[in-house]
Amino acid sequence: MPRIPAAERRAALVQAALRVVATQGVAAATTRAIVAEAGMSLASFHYAFSSRDELMHELISFVVAHEEAAVLPGPYGDASLRDIIRAGLQRYADLLRADPLREQAMLELTQQALRSEGMEPLARLQYDHYYTLAAAALTTAAEHTGTSWILPVEEVARLLVVLTDGLTVSWLVDRDDAAAASVMDFAADALAGLGRQS
Amino acid sequence: MPRIPAAERRAALVQAALRVVATQGVAAATTRAIVAEAGMSLASFHYAFSSRDELMHELISFVVAHEEAAVLPGPYGDASLRDIIRAGLQRYADLLRADPLREQAMLELTQQALRSEGMEPLARLQYDHYYTLAAAALTTAAEHTGTSWILPVEEVARLLVVLTDGLTVSWLVDRDDAAAASVMDFAADALAGLGRQS
DNA sequence: GTCTATAAAGTGATAGAC
DNA sequence: GTCTATCACTTTATAGAC
C-alpha cells in the first residue's frame, strides 16, 4: 500500500465501516471486517484511529453530517400542500426501497450511540439534524402554497420525523408497500391539516 | 445449585437474558453475562440451550408473546374517541418513561431479528402481534363511542403502531416530554379524525 | 508508514470429574 | 445434573522488522 495521508485513510475507513454496517449490521463491523472492506492491513487501522470506539464515533458524526433532506424537496409546480408532502414522503419511501439496509444501518447506529457511554449526545445531534432538515423543507412547502403552520414549524417537523421513523421501522419489518402507502396518505392528510391559508 | 427441571432453567435464563439486554443492550448479552445474572454456571446454560442463538430465538418469542396491550385499555366513561386515544397514548408514554430501557430493548431485539439469518419471521410476528393488539383496542374504543372507522381497522392499527414507534424512538433520543405530548395530541386528533359517528 | 506476528482478553461451546 | 477447567476461536490492540 502506498503512503496515504492519515486524514484520507481515516475517511476511507469510515466509508468502509459504513458499507460493512449497512450490509452486515453494527455487530459485524469488527476492525478486521472494516479493514478488509477498505483493502488495508489491520495495523493501518490503528495507525489512523487509536481505537474502534473512535472510529464508531467518527462514523456516526459522518452520517449525521451527510444525511440529506431527501423527504420534501422536489418540483412543486402548483401542487397543494398535501400533495407536496405526499410526494416528499413517496420520495423517501422510494429511497428506502432502493436501499433498505442503509436506513436500517441508521437506526442501528442511533441505538448504538444511545447505548455507548458518552455517545448519547451524537444521537441527539443526529435527530436535531433531522428536525432541522424537516423544518426547512416544511417551511419551503408552506411558502410555495401560501399557507402557514398553525403550530410552530419545529413541532410539525418533529411529527414528520416521527412518522417517517415509524414508517421506516414497520416497512423494514414486513416490506408491505401497500400498507406504507396507506400510512403516507394518512400522514400527508394529517400534516397538511396543520396548515392554514394565510 | 439444586436440580432444576430444564424447562424452569430455560425460563430463568430467558428472564435473565431480558434483564441483561434491557440494562446493557443486546451486544452485552453474552452467555457469561446471562448466566451471571441468572446465578448459574456457564455449563448450565448449554445444558438448557444448545446454543446462544437458540436462547435469543426463545427470548424474542417470549417478549412477543408477553407484550401487553398497554396503549388503549382504560376506564372509558363517556370520553370522546379522541380523548380515549389520547389517554391510551399517555398510558404508553408513562410506561416508556417508567422503563425506557425495556422499550429500547424491544427495538434492539427487533433489529437483531432482522439481521439474523432465519429470525426475520420473528420480527414480523412481533409486529403482527402489535397490530392485532392495537386493532382490538381501537375496535373497543370505537364501540364505546358509537363510532366506526372510515378505514379498515387494521390500517388504523398500523397507524397507531407507526406513531407509537416513532414517538418511542424520538423520546428515547432526547427525552423531551413536552415534544412527546405534542406528538400525542396530534396523533389523537388525527386518528380520531378517522372515526365517524354511526 | 506499512507490514507481519503476536499479545491479552473475551467469546461460545465441551469434556470429564463428581 | 451440575460443576470446574479448558478448548478453539475471535476480538482489539501493539511490538518490532523493514
Side-chain angles (χ1 to χ4, degrees), chain B residues 16 19 23 28 31 39-40 53 61-62 66 80 88 99 124 143 148-149 158 161 173 183 188 190 195 197:
Chain B
R19 286 195 297 275
T23 54
T31 53
M40 295 182 198
D53 249 37
S61 300
F62 174 81
H66 289 74
S80 68
D99 195 359
R124 241 164 279 139
E143 282 169 1
S148 58
W149 299 106
R158 193 184 183 97
V161 172
V173 169
V183 170
Q197 289 293 335

Side-chain angles (χ1 to χ4, degrees), chain A residues 51-159:
Chain A
S51 72
R52 181 178 175 278
D53 249 36
E54 190 185 321
L55 169 81
M56 292 307 291
H57 198 286
E58 187 143 317
L59 172 57
I60 296 179
S61 300
F62 174 82
V63 301
V64 168
H66 288 75
E67 185 74 11
E68 292 301 320
V71 183
L72 281 184
Y76 294 103
D78 57 353
S80 67
L81 179 60
R82 189 268 176 203
D83 289 345
I84 291 175
I85 295 174
R86 183 62 181 78
L89 288 168
Q90 188 62 52
R91 256 191 307 284
Y92 173 74
D94 292 343
L95 208 94
L96 176 60
R97 285 191 55 175
D99 196 359
L101 291 178
R102 188 178 189 282
E103 294 308 316
Q104 197 171 335
M106 292 296 157
L107 287 170
E108 285 181 40
L109 286 173
T110 302
Q111 294 192 334
Q112 161 96 357
L114 288 177
R115 285 287 188 191
S116 310
E117 190 74 24
M119 283 173 77
E120 304 97 330
L122 274 181
R124 241 164 278 139
L125 216 66
Q126 183 182 3
Y127 272 73
D128 280 347
H129 191 61
Y130 290 161
Y131 297 142
T132 304
L133 293 175
L138 287 167
T139 298
T140 306
E143 281 169 1
H144 274 81
T145 53
T147 49
S148 59
W149 300 106
I150 62 176
L151 293 179
V153 71
E154 290 78 18
E155 286 187 35
V156 187
R158 193 184 181 98
L159 294 170

Side-chain angles (χ1 to χ4, degrees), chain A residues 6-17 31 34-35 38 40 42-59 62:
Chain A
E8 267 182 51
R9 212 163 258 273
R10 286 172 71 98
L13 284 167
V14 167
Q15 293 286 349
T31 52
I34 294 167
V35 297
M40 294 183 197
L42 184 55
S44 298
F45 182 96
H46 287 286
Y47 180 75
F49 289 97
S50 69
S51 72
R52 181 178 175 278
D53 249 36
E54 190 185 321
L55 169 81
M56 292 307 291
H57 198 286
E58 187 143 317
L59 172 57
F62 174 82

Side-chain angles (χ1 to χ4, degrees), chain A residues 168-186:
Chain A
T168 304
V169 173
S170 64
W171 187 85
L172 284 175
V173 170
D174 62 18
R175 310 273 167 137
D176 187 330
D177 293 323
S182 163
V183 170
M184 289 188 284
D185 288 340
F186 165 84

